[in-house]
Amino acid sequence: MLEELRNHINAITPLTYEEFSFVCSLFVEKKIKKKQFLIKEGDSVKYAYFIVSGLLKLTYVDDLGKVHIVSFGMEDWWESDFQAYFTQSKARMSLQAIEDTSVLCLSLKNYQKMCLEVPKMKTFLIEMSNKGFIASQQRILSLLTTSVKERYEKLLQKYPLLFQRVPKAQLALYLGCSRETLSRISS
């Protein structure tokens, strides 16, 4: 599991053996089964998760009880309820496995320690955060300005394997449409 993390970090910020050994000491390995939760709404959020293998979904339930899929997290991605993680508040979202999943868990205390002790990791984490912010803004703009068909086609183009791994009902929730609409536009 740690080799995947090393490759992920080195793609942006190469670390020495000593730096990487220290970084590794700050993570906890965890495996969860399909349908298990890493975070449930209302929980304290102890970790940010680096996904080694498997697939997760981050969901939000609105005041009317409607479920919204905020994101899917797959291999080489980081996922959490980041607002709750960084502010140490209660989760507003839930993080659940769609497949059996292996993650590396990083507590906020260890996140901060890592940034202090290995300045290259601060650079790495800023780069990853920037990519996440950009992706979030693109998703919001897409939801505001494009049709479901356009969102479907863009998602299919960018992540074709996702369509083999995620049930259509969940893809529909992510795209902001009904399953019937998704079936109609994907035919």
Side-chain angles (χ1 to χ4, degrees), residues 36-52:
Q36 283 186 305
F37 286 87
L38 286 167
I39 301 169
K40 287 185 180 176
E41 181 184 353
D43 286 352
S44 295
V45 177
K46 298 177 184 175
Y47 299 108
Y49 301 96
F50 174 71
I51 304 164
V52 176

Side-chain angles (χ1 to χ4, degrees), residues 152 155-157 159-166 171 175 182:
Y152 169 82
L155 187 65
L156 181 60
Q157 178 186 15
Y159 304 108
L161 294 179
L162 197 60
F163 287 77
Q164 297 169 16
R165 298 172 72 181
V166 177
L171 285 170
L175 292 168
L182 179 60

Side-chain angles (χ1 to χ4, degrees), residues 172 177-187:
C177 67
S178 68
R179 191 183 187 299
E180 294 77 19
T181 298
L182 179 60
S183 291
R184 194 170 45 253
I185 63 173
S186 63
S187 300

Side-chain angles (χ1 to χ4, degrees), residues 81-99:
D81 179 331
F82 286 110
Q83 178 179 341
Y85 174 73
F86 284 114
T87 63
Q88 293 295 278
S89 56
K90 299 292 183 192
R92 296 185 67 209
M93 296 182 274
S94 298
L95 186 60
Q96 184 181 26
I98 295 174
E99 302 171 350

Side-chain angles (χ1 to χ4, degrees), residues 108-130:
L108 183 59
K109 180 181 173 185
N110 284 348
Y111 175 100
Q112 294 164 339
K113 186 176 182 178
M114 184 172 64
C115 289
L116 285 173
E117 299 290 327
V118 184
K120 289 181 198 175
M121 285 306 294
K122 192 173 189 177
T123 301
F124 168 79
L125 292 166
I126 289 169
E127 179 75 20
M128 295 309 298
S129 294
N130 289 344

Side-chain angles (χ1 to χ4, degrees), residues 61-87:
V61 179
D62 67 22
D63 293 340
L64 300 175
K66 184 177 178 185
V67 176
H68 303 271
I69 296 182
V70 176
S71 64
F72 294 108
M74 58 186 98
E75 293 84 3
D76 245 14
W77 289 16
W78 293 82
E79 198 60 84
S80 190
D81 179 331
F82 286 110
Q83 178 179 341
Y85 174 73
F86 284 114
T87 63

